[in-house]
Amino acid sequence: MEFEAIKTWFFELSPVMQALMGGLFTWTLTALGAGLVFFTKNVGYKLLDSMLGFAAGVMIAASVWSLIIPSIDMAEGQGYIPWIPAVIGFISGAVFLRICDAYLPHLHLGQPKQEAEGVVTTWRRTTLLVLAITLHNIPEGLAVGVLFGAAAGGIDPTGTATVAGAIALALGIGIQNFPEGVAVSVPLRREGVSMGKSFNYGQLSGVVEPISAVIGAAAVLMVQPILPYALAFAAGAMMFVVVEELIPESQQHGHTDLATLGTMIGFCVMMVLDVALG
C-alpha cells in the first residue's frame, strides 16, 4: 500500500517536479559513489576501468533506446521526415559538448595538470577534475528532464514517451553515476586530498543534473515542437562524452577487455531497464 501511495503521489507531480526528483535521484547516486572514499582510498584500476566501461555502456543504450528511437517515433507522429530531427538534434548535441569541451577549463582523470583542456586558467587541479565530470553530467540531466517533460506533460502525440520510461532512464543514469562518483573522489583521496574534500568534490560533480533536468523539462513544455530535437540533442551530447572521455579513460591502464566487458554489461542493463519498465 505504501508503494502504491508513493507511486500515486509521484505520478501526480508536475512534469518539472518529476524531472527535479529524477535529477535529485541521479545526484544522490553520485554522492553515494563519492562516499566510498570514507571507507577506502585505493580502488584498483581494474575495477575503476570496469566501472567507467559500465557507465559508457549505460549511456550508449540510454541514447539509443530512451532518446533516439523515441525522437524518431515522435517526429513521424508530428508529420516530420522521421530521421531529420534525430540527425539534427544528435549532431547539435555533440557540437554543443565540443564547444563546452573547447572552452571550459577541465582535466580528465589520470592526466597531469599541464594536459588540462579549455581556456588556460590558474584553477587548481582538483577543480579541473570536478569540472570534467560535471561537464558530461549536463547531458544526462537534460535527458532525464526532457523525457519527463515529454511523458508527464502529455505533449507526445505518439505515446512513445512514458513516465515509466523516464523513471527507467533516471534509474539507469543513477546506477552509472555511482562509479562516476567513485572515479572522482577516490583518485583525489589517493593524491592526498582529505576525505571530506574528496567526497564534496565527487558529489558536486553531479549537482548539475537536477538543475539541467529542470531546464530540459521546462524547455520542452514551453516549446513542444522541439521535443524530437531535444531528445536527440541529449543523445548526441551523451554519445560525445562516451566516445571522447569515458571509453578512452576506461582503457588507458591496459585493462581493455575488462573495460569492454563492462561496456557490454552496462548496455544490456540499460536496455533491459528501458524495455522492461518503459
Side-chain angles (χ1 to χ4, degrees):
M1 291 297 294
E2 290 184 2
F3 174 76
E4 288 298 324
I6 294 173
K7 180 180 177 182
T8 301
W9 168 79
F10 183 83
F11 274 67
E12 289 177 349
L13 292 174
S14 70
V16 172
M17 284 303 298
Q18 287 186 357
L20 176 61
M21 296 294 291
L24 288 173
F25 170 77
T26 60
W27 178 21
T28 298
L29 268 292
T30 304
L32 287 176
L36 193 65
V37 76
F38 292 111
F39 303 97
T40 181
K41 65 177 180 179
N42 291 310
V43 174
Y45 281 116
K46 283 186 177 181
L47 179 58
L48 198 58
D49 291 345
S50 299
M51 286 180 167
L52 289 174
F54 178 87
V58 168
M59 292 177 70
I60 293 171
S63 297
V64 176
W65 294 92
S66 299
L67 300 170
I68 291 294
I69 292 176
S71 171
I72 293 172
D73 291 341
M74 290 176 195
E76 187 172 18
Q78 293 179 9
Y80 299 128
I81 297 174
W83 54 267
I84 288 181
V87 170
I88 293 175
F90 190 82
I91 297 299
S92 298
V95 170
F96 169 75
L97 255 291
R98 176 65 186 94
I99 293 172
C100 292
D101 196 61
Y103 291 100
L104 180 69
H106 63 284
L107 178 65
H108 295 302
L109 295 170
Q111 294 183 344
K113 185 177 179 181
Q114 56 266 31
E115 296 295 326
E117 300 177 15
V119 298
V120 178
T121 178
T122 57
W123 293 349
R124 293 192 305 175
R125 185 172 186 275
T126 50
T127 303
L128 296 172
L129 286 169
V130 173
L131 285 174
I133 302 296
T134 301
L135 176 61
H136 79 65
N137 279 344
I138 293 174
E140 296 174 12
L142 283 175
V144 171
V146 168
L147 204 53
F148 269 115
I155 60 176
D156 173 20
T158 67
T160 302
T162 64
V163 175
I167 292 173
L169 176 62
L171 182 60
I173 289 179
I175 291 172
Q176 64 94 30
N177 273 2
F178 183 89
E180 288 185 359
V182 176
V184 176
S185 64
V186 172
L188 290 178
R189 178 65 180 137
R190 188 186 294 135
E191 293 176 6
V193 180
S194 70
M195 287 189 295
K197 286 186 176 181
S198 297
F199 169 75
N200 282 332
Y201 283 127
Q203 63 87 23
L204 277 174
S205 65
V207 73
V208 70
E209 292 200 8
I211 298 172
S212 54
V214 167
I215 293 173
V220 298
L221 287 171
M222 289 188 294
V223 191
Q224 296 182 14
I226 72 168
L227 181 54
Y229 297 91
L231 288 169
F233 180 93
M238 287 173 60
M239 286 297 292
F240 182 90
V241 168
V242 169
V243 178
E244 195 269 342
E245 183 175 343
L246 287 182
I247 289 179
E249 286 181 5
S250 71
Q251 302 197 8
Q252 67 180 351
H253 302 111
H255 306 124
T256 303
D257 290 340
L258 284 175
T260 302
L261 181 60
T263 302
M264 303 296 288
I265 293 173
F267 185 95
C268 289
V269 168
M270 185 64 233
M271 180 176 62
V272 169
L273 284 173
D274 189 85
V275 175
L277 298 180

